Amino acid sequence: MNLRWMARVLALALLALSAALHNAQAEERTLRVSLNTELQVLDPIVTTINATRVFSYLVYDMLFAIDEQGNYKPQMVDRYEVSDDRLTYTFHLRDGLEWSDGKPVTAEDAVASIRRWAQREALGVQIMRVAEGLRVVDPRSFELKLREPYAYVIEALGKPGNVIPVMMPARLANLPANAAVPEVVGSGPFLFDRNSWRPGERATFRRNPRYRPRAEPASGLAGGKVVHFDRVDLISMPDQATRVAALQAGEVDYLEIIPADFIGPMRRNRNITIANPRGAGQIMSIISLNHAQPPFDNPKVRRAAQLAVNQADIMASLGLPEDLYLRECHALYMCNTAGESSAGTEIFRNAGAERARVLLREAGYKNEPVVFLHSESSALLNSMGLVMVDQMRKAGFNVQLATSDYATVAQRRLNRGPTTNGGWSMVNIIWNGIDLVNPLANPGVAYNCAEHYSGWYCDPRQTDLLRRAATARSEEERARLAGELQTAFHDNANYILGGQFSAPAAYRSDLRGVIEFPIPVFWSMSRR
């Protein structure tokens, strides 16, 4: 009897332990996410990869942030003043801000962070070019003094990408800006669990107990970032079909991008919600040209390539439902936005392969090889790239396809040398619409004559226009100069626009409070 009694006690103990473990797991509310690219780099100042951008929104915060309507609101800043002559900006940080290591956020940290960011970002470079000084006033206040007015100071400090002006402790921000910081110390709503990070498998983030949300409702990247999940897991799933199957089975809760082939069936699944972004929430397909090497150092050859592109065919290659793309959009600042413009688009009338061939002959093109970098591993870039290559060949270009995975393409794209020495001529990429609405932040013009930005376009006319836009005093003048910049963009063929489309997120329908922003954010979200 003693043996039977002991066995019964042991069985009851095991059941109790199992129940306790189950309850512990249930109590730790976990959101499981699959991104379109893997997290590899942990510093948003040295890369513009979207996975790092998602990482940044989780662990860092910014002085200002953009809301769902495109307005810039104070975030880490409590209040600020601008002098009547628009030359002095004084910023006051919110009370009680702390870094994840427990130390207070100070004005010294903010000044050092701005200086580090400004070494890598076009808007930051422009501000520092006209800055007389950036100094600490007291532990929670700092001042930016300009030699001449600059129209986009707040927009620059709240820029959502490409290089994001995140705040970090001065001891890290004072390190060289061309290398990733050795530690992740932020003041954002989540903490990065670096010890459990397994690149290519899983990255875990836990709710930051030190984070103090703003009082306003969350909107885009602005407002109160109230966290309801204890933990967010970014789970690597390279295979697209595997991601969708995991979402259907409830093994993951959120996909950053759902492949086009699955959108129709998933729209009929009441357990799955498909986002429906519009305007600046959409994506622009881009062909990047290497201006530093033949044949695209010749502007007439660039224009021939520009006229060879048929956006409708490129967009059709994605297999998206017709409500998720535009057949044609030549607006540098995205179509269906407040900044949409037709300036400079008359050159696209009667565009096509025949007109492109004529211009190519006039340019003196001698059948030089055009190396097109093709990302076969990307669901978006793969199909679009193949159509672009076909269009270039029909126009008379001698295109050589260099197919590899996205990581290899991204690395090779940095090579400024000739194609005979590992260089390139064309590559298709994508830009998030939210990054294009501000002319001084739009990579299509903002990096004009910048040595560190791949493509290396340089047009003296655009340099002058950017300077004038930076000091514009009225909204009317801003709009006029934005139109002139778009005209110069098309005339110089900085890049070629391949079309505007949606790459929607998909998530389990039991999630509520989902903020539909171009880049995934995970505050405000909870499970019903």
Side-chain angles (χ1 to χ4, degrees):
M1 287 186 64
N2 286 341
L3 288 174
R4 284 198 296 270
W5 179 80
M6 290 176 62
R8 191 172 182 181
V9 169
L10 180 60
L12 289 171
L14 288 173
L15 284 171
L17 178 60
S18 176
L21 288 172
H22 177 78
N23 290 335
Q25 291 174 345
E27 288 173 7
E28 186 177 56
R29 294 160 295 184
T30 301
L31 181 73
R32 297 152 301 175
V33 177
S34 178
L35 299 182
N36 197 47
T37 55
E38 293 182 1
L39 178 64
Q40 297 175 332
V41 182
L42 306 181
D43 186 343
I45 303 301
V46 302
T47 185
T48 59
I49 295 173
N50 272 357
T52 302
R53 196 164 168 179
V54 173
F55 167 86
S56 303
Y57 294 159
L58 287 164
V59 301
Y60 293 110
D61 213 347
M62 298 189 294
L63 298 173
F64 293 85
I66 192 169
D67 67 12
E68 292 173 0
Q69 286 74 44
N71 303 309
Y72 289 83
K73 302 292 184 63
Q75 192 62 25
M76 293 176 71
V77 166
D78 178 48
R79 69 185 193 283
Y80 68 100
E81 298 95 32
V82 183
S83 62
D84 292 340
D85 59 8
R86 299 168 62 220
L87 295 178
T88 303
Y89 289 73
T90 306
F91 303 95
H92 308 276
L93 296 173
R94 284 200 291 142
D95 190 23
L97 297 178
E98 292 186 30
W99 299 115
S100 55
D101 61 6
K103 295 178 181 177
V105 175
T106 68
E108 180 188 3
D109 299 321
V111 167
S113 296
I114 293 171
R115 291 190 183 279
R116 183 170 190 263
W117 162 78
Q119 295 177 55
R120 303 280 298 178
E121 166 55 41
L123 270 177
V125 169
Q126 293 172 38
I127 289 177
M128 289 305 172
R129 192 176 291 144
V130 298
E132 183 177 298
L134 178 62
R135 69 179 186 92
V136 173
V137 175
D138 60 46
R140 287 181 49 221
S141 304
F142 63 98
E143 177 187 273
L144 172 65
K145 192 169 182 61
L146 306 174
R147 290 190 298 273
E148 60 183 69
Y150 187 84
Y152 293 91
V153 170
I154 303 305
E155 291 89 343
L157 297 178
K159 187 174 184 287
N162 294 318
V163 180
I164 308 169
V166 299
M167 297 295 105
M168 57 181 64
R171 64 182 178 84
L172 298 175
N174 286 327
L175 296 174
N178 60 353
V181 291
E183 300 175 60
V184 178
V185 181
S187 62
F190 289 89
L191 305 173
F192 178 51
D193 188 349
R194 190 163 192 165
N195 291 331
S196 70
W197 182 37
R198 298 191 298 277
E201 293 184 33
R202 185 184 303 262
T204 294
F205 302 80
R206 300 184 185 278
R207 186 176 62 83
N208 182 1
R210 300 181 186 277
Y211 185 73
R212 295 182 61 179
R214 294 186 68 90
E216 309 96 298
S219 175
L221 298 181
K225 300 177 182 178
V226 178
V227 175
H228 300 290
F229 284 99
D230 302 306
R231 167 175 165 173
V232 173
D233 282 351
L234 303 184
I235 304 169
S236 296
M237 291 184 177
D239 182 71
Q240 303 281 348
T242 301
R243 291 180 191 171
V244 175
L247 180 69
Q248 288 179 292
E251 295 169 4
V252 298
D253 303 298
Y254 187 105
L255 300 186
E256 179 186 14
I257 296 176
I258 182 168
D261 293 347
F262 295 94
I263 292 176
M266 290 300 98
R267 279 178 165 175
R268 296 190 290 271
N269 186 337
R270 64 182 180 180
N271 295 317
I272 306 297
T273 297
I274 307 292
N276 192 20
R278 287 287 182 269
Q282 293 185 302
I283 290 172
M284 184 65 80
S285 169
I286 299 292
I287 301 177
S288 178
L289 305 174
N290 187 345
H291 293 233
Q293 295 293 336
F296 294 120
D297 58 341
N298 183 337
K300 285 190 175 181
V301 176
R302 296 197 298 270
R303 291 188 197 114
Q306 188 182 51
L307 296 177
V309 167
N310 182 311
Q311 289 189 358
D313 288 345
I314 294 171
M315 292 295 95
S317 74
L318 292 170
L320 289 166
E322 290 187 359
D323 63 326
L324 292 181
Y325 69 89
L326 305 181
R327 289 183 56 82
E328 188 173 65
C329 176
H330 296 292
L332 176 59
Y333 315 114
M334 302 293 284
C335 291
N336 301 320
T337 66
E340 180 182 353
S341 170
S342 61
T345 60
E346 61 276 358
I347 63 173
F348 297 104
R349 292 173 192 152
N350 303 315
E354 183 177 345
R355 189 171 163 213
R357 280 194 299 271
V358 171
L359 188 55
L360 201 55
R361 286 195 298 270
E362 293 176 358
Y365 176 68
K366 297 180 176 61
N367 206 42
E368 296 98 328
V370 171
V371 175
F372 189 105
L373 303 185
H374 173 232
S375 303
E376 189 176 39
S377 62
S378 169
L380 295 176
L381 299 178
N382 178 28
S383 59
M384 290 192 292
L386 292 175
V387 174
M388 292 168 181
V389 166
D390 182 61
Q391 291 178 353
M392 293 299 134
R393 286 174 174 164
K394 288 178 178 176
F397 286 95
N398 176 18
V399 180
Q400 297 180 359
L401 195 63
T403 299
S404 61
D405 59 83
Y406 174 77
T408 301
V409 168
Q411 184 61 38
R412 186 171 175 180
R413 187 181 164 218
L414 302 176
N415 187 337
R416 189 169 177 165
T419 58
T420 54
N421 193 28
W424 58 280
S425 310
M426 309 178 79
V427 58
N428 67 314
I429 56 176
I430 55 175
W431 288 340
N432 288 292
I434 196 68
D435 297 329
L436 307 185
V437 294
N438 180 342
L440 293 192
N442 187 307
V445 290
Y447 294 102
N448 186 56
C449 301
E451 290 295 310
H452 67 277
Y453 200 77
S454 179
W456 307 288
Y457 62 95
C458 189
D459 178 10
R461 176 172 54 153
Q462 292 176 51
T463 300
D464 179 62
L465 286 170
L466 287 166
R467 181 189 60 78
R468 289 161 55 196
T471 57
R473 289 184 172 273
S474 67
E475 289 299 323
E476 293 77 12
E477 188 180 5
R478 281 194 192 192
R480 179 179 58 79
L481 290 166
E484 290 186 34
L485 275 166
Q486 179 171 295
T487 297
F489 166 87
H490 286 310
D491 186 53
N492 191 57
N494 292 2
Y495 296 85
I496 301 172
L497 304 185
Q500 181 171 326
F501 66 98
S502 296
Y507 50 90
R508 300 288 300 181
S509 297
D510 63 350
L511 293 179
R512 61 181 177 184
V514 177
I515 295 176
E516 292 194 356
F517 193 71
I519 304 296
V521 296
F522 304 117
W523 51 84
S524 298
M525 193 184 297
S526 62
R527 205 183 305 279
R528 289 189 178 91

